[in-house]
C-alpha cells in the first residue's frame, strides 16, 4: 500500500512527500530485500531532488548484503552517482570498476566526462558503441547523444583524424536524430 502511495505521489511530482513516506518505511517498517529495494527507490528520488548526500544516507540505512544481485548492482550505481555529484569521482569509479553492464558503462562515461578526462571518456563511449551504427536501424536518442559526446571529446582533444572517422562512420546514422546539426558542426574539420 505504501509503495503504491509513493508511486502516486511521484506520478504527480510530489517527490518530497514520496521521499518522506519511503524514508519512514525504510527506517521503521521494512526489512531484508524489500528494505534494500525501497532504499534504492528512495535514493533515486533523492538524486532527482539533487540531494546526493541524502541518497547516500538512504542507501546506508537500507543496506542488506543478501539482497538479489540486480538490487545490489542498482544500489552500487546509485551510490556511484551520488558520489559523483559530491565530487568524489575517483571513489565512484572504484565502486563501479569491474561492473560490465550498459548502465555501469554509462555511469563510467558520465564520471569521466565530469572529470574532463576526454581520452578515457571517448574510449569508454567507443566500447559502448561497438557495433554501431547497425545497418537499417536508426540510432536511439541515447546512442546519438553518445556519438555527439564522442565527437565533442575528440574535438576538445583536437583530433581531426578521429573526427573525420566519426563523421564517416556515423554521418548517415546521425541524419535523422535531434543531434544532427550539432554533430555536423562538431565533426567539421578545417
Amino acid at each position: 500500500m505504501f509503495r503504491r502511495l509513493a508511486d502516486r505521489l511521484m506520478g504527480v511530482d510530489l517527490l518530497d512527500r514520496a521521499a518522506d513516506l519511503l524514508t519512514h518505511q525504510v527506517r521503521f517498517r521494512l526489512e531484508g530485500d524489500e528494505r534494500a529495494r525501497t532504499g534504492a527507490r528512495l535514493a533515486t528520488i533523492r538524486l532527482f531532488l539533487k540531494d546526493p548526500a541524502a541518497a547516500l544516507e538512504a542507501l546506508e540505512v537500507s543496506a542488506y548484503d543478501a539482497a538479489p544481485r540486480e538490487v545490489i548492482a542498482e544500489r552500487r550505481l546509485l551510490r556511484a552517482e551520488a558520489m559523483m555529484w559530491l565530487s568524489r569521482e575517483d571513489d565512484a569509479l572504484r565502486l563501479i570498476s569491474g561492473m560490465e553492464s550498459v548502465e555501469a558503462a554509462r555511469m563510467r562515461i558520465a564520471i569521466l566526462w565530469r572529470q574532463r578526462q576526454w581520452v578515457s571518456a571517448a574510449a569508454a563511449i567507443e566500447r559502448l558503441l561497438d557495433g554501431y551504427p547497425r545497418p537499417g536501424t536508426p540510432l536511439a536518442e541515447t546512442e546519438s547523444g553518445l556519438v555527439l559526446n564522442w565527437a565533442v571529446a575528440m574535438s576538445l582533444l583536437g583530433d581531426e583524424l578521429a573526427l573525420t572517422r566519426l563523421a564517416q562512420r556515423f554521418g548517415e546514422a546521425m541524419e535523422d536524430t535531434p543531434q544532427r546539426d550539432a554533430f555536423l558542426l562538431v565533426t567539421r574539420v578545417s
Side-chain angles (χ1 to χ4, degrees), residues 49-168:
L49 292 170
K50 299 184 183 345
D51 192 350
L56 285 176
E57 181 183 335
L59 293 169
E60 289 298 324
V61 168
S62 62
Y64 180 62
D65 293 336
R69 269 187 301 185
E70 69 274 2
V71 174
I72 291 171
E74 176 188 14
R75 292 171 59 84
R76 279 176 70 187
L77 289 170
L78 288 166
R79 183 179 302 282
E81 184 175 351
M83 288 175 168
M84 176 184 74
W85 292 118
L86 291 169
S87 299
R88 294 174 48 198
E89 293 92 350
D90 291 335
D91 292 335
L93 284 172
R94 276 191 293 280
L95 183 64
I96 63 171
S97 70
M99 292 180 75
E100 297 300 324
S101 68
V102 171
E103 294 83 6
R106 289 182 193 279
M107 179 58 59
R108 197 170 291 110
I109 291 165
I111 295 166
L112 293 168
W113 193 267
R114 185 170 163 86
Q115 289 182 312
R116 293 181 164 87
Q117 292 188 32
W118 310 126
V119 172
S120 297
I125 293 170
E126 184 174 13
R127 282 190 301 275
L128 189 58
L129 291 177
D130 186 39
Y132 286 92
R134 295 184 176 128
T137 305
L139 289 174
E141 190 170 340
T142 54
E143 295 157 354
S144 62
L146 285 169
V147 171
L148 178 60
N149 285 347
W150 188 359
V152 168
M154 292 297 92
S155 180
L156 290 168
L157 290 168
D159 192 337
E160 291 187 2
L161 180 59
L163 288 170
T164 300
R165 289 182 179 154
L166 272 175
Q168 291 169 348

Side-chain angles (χ1 to χ4, degrees), residues 11-27:
V12 293
D13 207 20
L14 294 172
L15 295 176
D16 286 322
R17 290 189 184 166
D20 291 343
L21 179 65
L22 293 178
T23 297
H24 179 78
Q25 296 302 303
V26 165
R27 287 185 186 272

Side-chain angles (χ1 to χ4, degrees), residues 5 31 37 42-44 49 97 110 113 136 140 144 169 171-172 187:
L5 178 57
E31 295 180 9
R37 287 180 202 279
L42 175 58
T44 300
L49 292 170
S97 70
W113 193 267
S144 62
R169 178 175 167 187
E172 188 176 321
T187 57

